Amino acid sequence: MTRETRSTCPYCGVGCGVIIESTGDQITGVRGDPAHPANFGRLCTKGSTLHLTASATVTRQTRLLQPMQRLARGEAPAAVSWDTALDNAAGKFAQVIRDHGPDAVGFYVSGQLLTEDYYVFNKLSKGLIGTNNIDTNSRLCMSSAVAGYKQTLGADAPPACYDDLKHAQCLFIVGSNTAWAHPILFRRIEDAKAANPALKIVVADPRRTDTVEIADLFLPIQPGTDVMLFNGMLHLMLWEGWTDAKYIAAHTSGFDALKATVRECTPDKVAQVCGISKDDLLEAARLFATSPATLSLYCQGLNQSSSGTAKNAALINLHLATGQIGRAGAGPFSLTGQPNAMGGREVGGLANLLSAHRDLANPDHRAEVAALWGVPSVPEKPGKTAVEMFQAAADGEIRALWIACTNPAQSMPDQATVRRALERAEFVVVQEAFATTATCAFADLLLPATTWGEKEGTVTNSERRISRVRPAVAAPGEARNDWSIAVAFAHRLERLIGRAFTLFPYETAESVWNEHRESTRGRDLDITGLSYAMLESAGPQQWPLKEGESTGRARLYEDGVFPTPDGRARFVDTTYKPVAEAREARYPFSLNTGRLRDQWHGMSRTGTAGRLFGHVPEPVVQMNAQDMARRQIGEGDLVHLTSKRGSIMLPARASAEVGLSQAFVAMHWGEEYLSGCSSGGTRLAGINALTTPAFCPTSKQPELKHAAVKILKAELPWSLLAMAWLPDGEALAAHRALQPMMALFPFATCVPFSGNVQGSERSGLLFRAAARDAPDDALVEKIETLLGLQTPDTLRYADRRRGQRRSARLMRRADGSAGLEAFLLGGDTSAEAWIATLLREELPAQSYGRLLLSPGSKAPVAVQSRGKTVCTCFNVADGAIQGELARCAGTPDERLARLQGALKCGTNCGSCIPELKRMVRATPAEAEALP
């Protein structure tokens, strides 16, 4: 019998509600929750495929299902009992603390943990052990937004809400590809624009992303110049008399110092630094300041910067100067990157924070938390933040690391230092749901944790809305909830250090949450009026919601009173500083990193669904076509992408999104999908082998959005391409088995793909590699074996002298035709296009036979590819879309509607709509094309 369980999506900070369908101990389906106020039933491509990533097949091949321990680094881990694992962990941590002090240990946790998990880890570190060395991957995501809100408004509290999109008359989107990073929120932006065509939308971004498709004004600023842009806008607002003098006088302080600074930010200077026209600068300032209600939306483009706090504060300065805050449709609204980064901030989960938005540097705040926890004191010494923590471990200062629900061996900048830290640390615990992450390879102890669909607790989304997370199925294997793992460890550690009574008397997630709730009493995020029971009966609620109140507050600061000592918001005197690592002659390109539409973080979950690789199937570096032409780099050519910290190889792809002297690589590609070996023998570690550890001095958030790189064409004449459909339940295991072989080539990628024939979805793998010379036959044969090409019915051709090798296997289908099941091209891979099309699209292949083994690129007969997937939900490719558009006449809106009616693309999650609109404009109808 099918059950339905309400929960939330584990991806971006929008906090979408989902309804999980399950039978027995299996999740069988998922759909958007129409009652949830964040999404009203909508889900993006990632959310709508959640059930595929939670199947029994995926669990069996990727999940960590029991505690595992390595007796020596580099060895395979062996299963141990929970008691053995936790006893060993407690003993090792106690020994390190005894010998080297509490600051010799560190905890690195995650914005994907639930609030209850976060709270226990924070108390464990700061209350029991007595170290503030606990930080989170939210440091890489939201710490600049935290610091910016605190500097200006007095508290880490986004003042706006999603409903403000309906009331805004101007949207200012900066540093955010909202269409891809927060797709359900973007659907609400599209709805707002459709309901109010007068709504003006300004987008500022170095890249021409899908978000720009909806913009009335696009500002293609140079990387890192946001502060100059905002100060230049304020300069013009002052000059034109567009500031709100009454609001400034009544509700703010510090404006005079800022005015002196922005006086120097003239239109000429801003245009030169930012690379935009003075007319566009003036129009942006006018729209922002004179609109009846301006709402700004911003994310990692402002946060992941060595000037991250200044960027956030400079944008908030514009809202304060124009009175665009504290009313419907107006305010600075930071978009949270992770599903519970807000919850982590609420419990003080960063190295410089304490529970309920208290400051570690404030002795009164430390005393309040110590009293709540029943400990003599909370340590006053600031803890190590993410970059600092791994540097300290690499230097031998931190000797034991506990990593929970995050993958620093892929996501942290400057991977050489991070991996040195993981190797040098005496003891590394990884608490994780997936055994496939890169960090697991460095763990002395692996602890299996529950994940989406199995956990219970709460999360908080970008608009301060708390939702319940409910388990739909039992935990697989021996996996345990994160908070309960931390509690069990804490109990053992308490005994070893001689505590007479426990600080962790929790039996349920709710008991943890109730203590967290009490910690908020009297604070800006007071939730003493909220309970699990209320969340069950009334649904998700926004904070603050004080005792005695029945609903939370949608908007903050409507009375113009701010949580500062004098009740006034504070202007921050923000001065422009360039990026930490400027372009120069040796490194002439600005490297930007960001999200893909259908993938999430390190892809430990989304990477298990081949369907989600349809839109962007393989890692590439996007470059401007002019830059490629100047360097004689062709489409798909391999290039060396090199910074001062490392070098990787990627295929180059021309992109109209990327400006001159800029390059873009998606953040998701770690060594699980992109690998190889440098000339010195060092294994490469994905895109973050290149990024800089430089961070904002206030927020300590690293500048993941910019690194100076050089791009040189790679000369690797021998190449290999292999593709195979694999039996159900074997693709992910084969992927893991192929990963060590990837590191044996100077360049290699291995990615899943999928197909859907007659309603049945199939899974496959694509393996690509390049080298200077042909490798040993034994290595290629191992690859063939894993891809089902070492069978008696495999067709073969080999010319060892020339380094040429081909193999292909066909299989008879139920209808009598033969389809290509697997192939490998070694040396000459020029036939990739037509042979890969035969396999991917499962076209009849019996007529080709041994022609599959013939040299050259030309197909013996025409093979028509369906093209690149645009709509993931309905598996619609660009070939079908262009064909349909050629038959559709009318206005762009009419043609889009007819396209959607005919092919269904863009009618489910809507993530492909910006791309569809671009294709509508670019593809004339047949009638329109006639003279």
Side-chain angles (χ1 to χ4, degrees):
M1 182 176 179
T2 299
R3 301 185 306 274
E4 293 188 346
T5 306
R6 278 188 158 83
S7 190
T8 60
C9 178
Y11 295 127
C12 76
V14 173
C16 295
V18 298
I19 296 175
I20 305 172
E21 299 168 359
S22 59
T23 303
D25 61 354
Q26 289 299 307
I27 292 174
T28 56
V30 66
R31 66 182 191 273
D33 184 351
H36 198 289
N39 59 315
F40 298 108
R42 287 170 162 169
L43 289 177
C44 70
T45 53
K46 299 182 291 292
S48 60
T49 54
L50 273 166
H51 60 294
L52 301 180
T53 69
S55 68
T57 298
V58 170
T59 297
R60 185 173 66 253
Q61 295 180 83
T62 65
R63 291 291 298 275
L64 185 63
L65 297 175
Q66 58 192 117
M68 308 283 285
Q69 185 170 353
R70 283 188 176 90
L71 297 179
R73 295 281 172 89
E75 292 185 356
V80 295
S81 69
W82 267 108
D83 283 340
T84 298
L86 292 171
D87 287 345
N88 288 346
K92 186 61 180 178
F93 267 67
Q95 176 253 310
V96 169
I97 294 165
R98 182 173 60 250
D99 294 347
H100 305 285
D103 288 333
V105 304
F107 293 84
Y108 186 60
V109 297
S110 169
Q112 292 166 74
L113 292 173
L114 303 187
T115 301
E116 294 77 1
D117 306 324
Y118 247 132
Y119 184 87
V120 172
F121 270 114
N122 194 47
K123 188 176 183 181
L124 167 63
S125 176
K126 297 170 182 174
L128 175 59
I129 295 175
T131 180
N132 290 312
N133 286 345
I134 177 168
D135 215 47
T136 163
N137 59 17
S138 297
R139 179 71 61 182
L140 313 183
C141 171
M142 298 307 299
S143 54
S144 293
V146 173
Y149 275 138
K150 291 175 67 176
Q151 278 192 354
T152 55
L153 308 183
D156 173 24
C161 63
Y162 298 155
D163 198 55
D164 282 319
L165 292 169
K166 294 192 304 187
H167 303 286
Q169 296 299 313
C170 174
L171 284 181
F172 188 68
I173 305 174
V174 57
S176 170
N177 184 10
T178 317
W180 282 16
H182 298 89
I184 297 306
L185 197 65
F186 195 71
R187 303 285 82 75
R188 296 180 71 155
I189 293 172
E190 291 172 329
D191 291 346
K193 182 73 169 177
N196 177 21
L199 170 65
K200 296 300 181 182
I201 301 177
V202 181
V203 175
D205 198 302
R207 290 195 300 142
R208 182 178 285 274
T209 66
D210 268 14
T211 303
V212 177
E213 290 300 307
I214 204 169
D216 298 283
L217 175 63
F218 174 45
L219 304 175
I221 60 174
Q222 286 295 302
T225 60
D226 308 79
V227 170
M228 180 61 76
L229 171 68
F230 304 150
N231 284 356
M233 290 171 64
L234 184 53
H235 175 104
L236 286 170
M237 292 174 188
L238 287 164
W239 181 265
E240 298 290 343
W242 291 334
T243 57
D244 188 335
K246 290 183 179 179
Y247 189 90
I248 293 169
H251 303 293
T252 72
S253 63
F255 192 48
D256 289 341
L258 178 60
K259 281 199 299 184
T261 295
V262 302
R263 189 177 295 121
E264 306 301 320
C265 300
T266 63
D268 285 333
K269 184 175 183 179
V270 174
Q272 180 182 17
V273 171
C274 295
I276 60 175
S277 73
K278 291 186 287 185
D279 287 344
D280 284 349
L281 175 67
L282 178 63
E283 180 67 357
R286 184 187 69 81
L287 289 173
F288 190 107
T290 64
S291 164
T294 295
L295 183 70
S296 60
L297 304 173
Y298 50 101
C299 198
Q300 305 310 340
L302 298 196
N303 296 342
Q304 290 178 335
S305 168
S306 55
S307 298
T309 305
K311 289 181 179 183
N312 276 263
L315 178 58
I316 296 171
N317 284 341
L318 296 182
H319 283 273
L320 296 175
T322 55
Q324 297 280 12
I325 188 171
R327 51 195 171 83
F333 195 2
S334 68
L335 302 181
T336 311
Q338 296 190 84
N340 199 34
M342 281 288 288
R345 290 145 65 178
E346 292 163 11
V347 303
L350 295 173
N352 58 316
L353 300 178
L354 291 171
S355 294
H357 290 176
R358 292 177 175 88
D359 284 323
L360 183 67
N362 187 318
D364 292 336
H365 288 182
R366 293 198 303 273
E368 290 169 5
V369 172
L372 176 72
W373 286 347
V375 297
S377 63
V378 173
E380 63 180 287
K381 179 183 176 182
K384 300 291 187 185
T385 61
V387 172
E388 296 169 325
M389 184 181 297
F390 284 92
Q391 184 64 61
D395 294 341
E397 182 182 345
I398 289 180
R399 296 168 181 263
L401 283 169
W402 192 300
I403 299 164
C405 193
T406 187
N407 187 19
Q410 189 269 341
S411 59
M412 287 282 293
D414 188 12
Q415 278 292 301
T417 298
V418 172
R419 288 163 182 249
R420 187 166 69 250
L422 293 168
E423 289 166 352
R424 185 169 184 184
E426 296 175 15
F427 193 65
V428 176
V429 178
V430 174
Q431 181 172 317
E432 178 58 78
F434 292 92
T436 52
T437 71
T439 307
C440 288
F442 297 89
D444 298 289
L445 189 65
L446 289 157
L447 303 178
T450 53
T451 185
W452 176 84
E454 304 155 7
K455 296 171 70 74
E456 180 176 16
T458 58
V459 294
T460 308
N461 72 0
S462 292
E463 63 170 352
R464 297 173 280 104
R465 189 179 297 277
I466 299 172
S467 297
R468 283 276 281 115
V469 173
R470 302 169 180 85
V473 294
E478 298 180 36
R480 294 183 179 181
N481 291 320
D482 289 283
W483 69 267
S484 65
I485 297 172
V487 166
F489 168 76
H491 288 165
R492 286 165 168 81
L493 189 60
E494 285 175 324
R495 289 195 293 269
L496 291 175
I497 64 177
R499 275 203 66 87
F501 60 92
T502 184
L503 300 179
F504 304 88
Y506 315 120
E507 297 292 334
T508 63
E510 184 176 9
S511 62
V512 178
W513 191 85
N514 286 340
E515 184 173 308
H516 157 60
R517 176 182 63 187
E518 183 56 34
S519 77
T520 69
R521 187 176 296 276
R523 304 291 300 162
D524 64 291
L525 71 164
D526 193 323
I527 55 170
T528 50
L530 192 56
S531 65
Y532 267 30
M534 184 177 182
L535 290 171
E536 290 287 352
S537 61
Q541 299 294 315
Q542 289 174 280
W543 59 254
L545 201 163
K546 300 177 182 178
E547 191 170 21
E549 295 176 344
S550 58
T551 59
R553 195 176 307 162
R555 297 175 189 88
L556 306 181
Y557 317 133
E558 292 174 296
D559 57 0
V561 177
F562 296 86
T564 58
D566 61 2
R568 291 171 172 265
R570 299 171 293 217
F571 283 99
V572 177
D573 185 7
T574 51
T575 56
Y576 166 69
K577 293 181 180 178
V579 291
E581 193 172 79
R583 292 190 300 242
E584 41 109 340
R586 293 177 301 160
Y587 300 95
F589 285 89
S590 291
L591 174 66
N592 186 1
T593 65
R595 297 186 189 275
L596 296 177
R597 189 190 76 185
D598 296 347
Q599 297 294 352
W600 174 253
H601 283 199
M603 300 195 286
S604 56
R605 180 183 294 279
T606 55
T608 64
R611 184 190 300 183
L612 296 178
F613 288 82
H615 188 241
V616 178
E618 298 180 69
V620 298
V621 53
Q622 292 182 353
M623 299 177 63
N624 187 280
Q626 293 183 46
D627 285 324
M628 292 175 66
R630 289 191 190 110
R631 288 159 177 79
Q632 297 183 325
I633 298 170
E635 186 75 10
D637 284 352
L638 281 177
V639 296
H640 294 279
L641 197 62
T642 305
S643 75
K644 296 176 181 178
R645 288 154 298 281
S647 182
I648 63 173
M649 270 185 256
L650 284 168
R653 176 172 295 168
S655 172
E657 293 182 1
V658 181
L660 288 169
S661 300
Q662 297 181 41
F664 175 82
V665 179
M667 61 176 277
H668 313 286
W669 304 114
E671 71 174 32
E672 298 90 335
Y673 304 94
L674 167 68
S675 193
C677 185
S678 71
S679 58
T682 303
R683 187 173 181 180
L684 305 178
I687 186 57
N688 282 320
L690 311 185
T691 49
T692 173
F695 53 70
C696 170
T698 304
S699 70
K700 305 294 182 75
Q701 183 160 354
E703 191 157 77
L704 286 164
K705 278 290 181 183
H706 186 271
V709 298
K710 58 185 174 184
I711 302 176
L712 301 174
K713 190 172 180 179
E715 299 297 339
L716 296 177
W718 190 89
S719 58
L720 178 146
L721 173 72
M723 293 181 69
W725 293 117
L726 294 170
D728 289 343
E730 293 185 17
L732 297 175
H735 187 188
R736 293 188 70 184
L738 284 165
Q739 285 178 14
M741 299 175 205
M742 293 166 62
L744 301 177
F745 294 93
F747 164 77
T749 61
C750 186
V751 293
F753 65 90
S754 71
N756 196 307
V757 177
Q758 298 177 348
S760 176
E761 186 157 323
R762 302 188 70 189
S763 298
L765 279 181
L766 183 155
F767 187 95
R768 189 186 299 277
R772 290 170 182 81
D773 302 296
D776 293 340
D777 287 347
L779 174 57
V780 180
E781 287 168 3
K782 287 180 181 178
I783 295 169
E784 287 183 326
T785 298
L786 288 168
L787 296 180
L789 284 164
Q790 283 287 320
T791 60
D793 60 343
T794 297
L795 303 174
R796 304 186 174 285
Y797 163 81
D799 184 338
R800 290 180 176 81
R801 185 174 63 84
R802 296 180 178 178
Q804 301 296 317
R805 185 185 188 100
R806 289 195 177 198
S807 54
R809 183 168 60 85
L810 285 76
M811 179 176 287
R812 188 70 58 186
R813 295 177 180 154
D815 62 3
S817 66
L820 184 61
E821 287 293 295
F823 73 89
L824 180 143
L825 307 177
D828 177 13
T829 59
S830 58
E832 171 187 348
W834 72 269
I835 297 181
T837 298
L838 281 182
L839 185 140
R840 275 186 184 274
E841 300 176 20
E842 304 205 72
L843 301 176
Q846 64 268 25
S847 61
Y848 296 96
R850 295 186 180 276
L851 294 173
L852 292 165
L853 308 181
S854 301
S857 61
K858 188 175 180 181
V861 296
V863 176
Q864 185 66 40
S865 170
R866 60 192 292 273
K868 187 196 81 165
T869 299
V870 174
C871 176
T872 299
C873 296
F874 294 108
N875 195 30
V876 183
D878 56 6
I881 293 169
Q882 289 163 352
E884 188 64 35
L885 284 174
R887 297 187 289 272
C888 293
T891 67
D893 287 345
E894 289 170 343
R895 296 180 72 203
L896 176 62
R898 289 171 187 165
L899 174 67
Q900 291 177 300
L903 300 180
K904 298 179 69 177
C905 50
T907 61
N908 185 35
C909 77
S911 296
C912 62
I913 288 177
E915 190 167 354
L916 294 176
K917 289 180 177 178
R918 189 163 57 248
M919 295 181 73
V920 167
R921 292 198 306 271
T923 308
E926 287 180 358
E928 297 168 341
L930 294 174

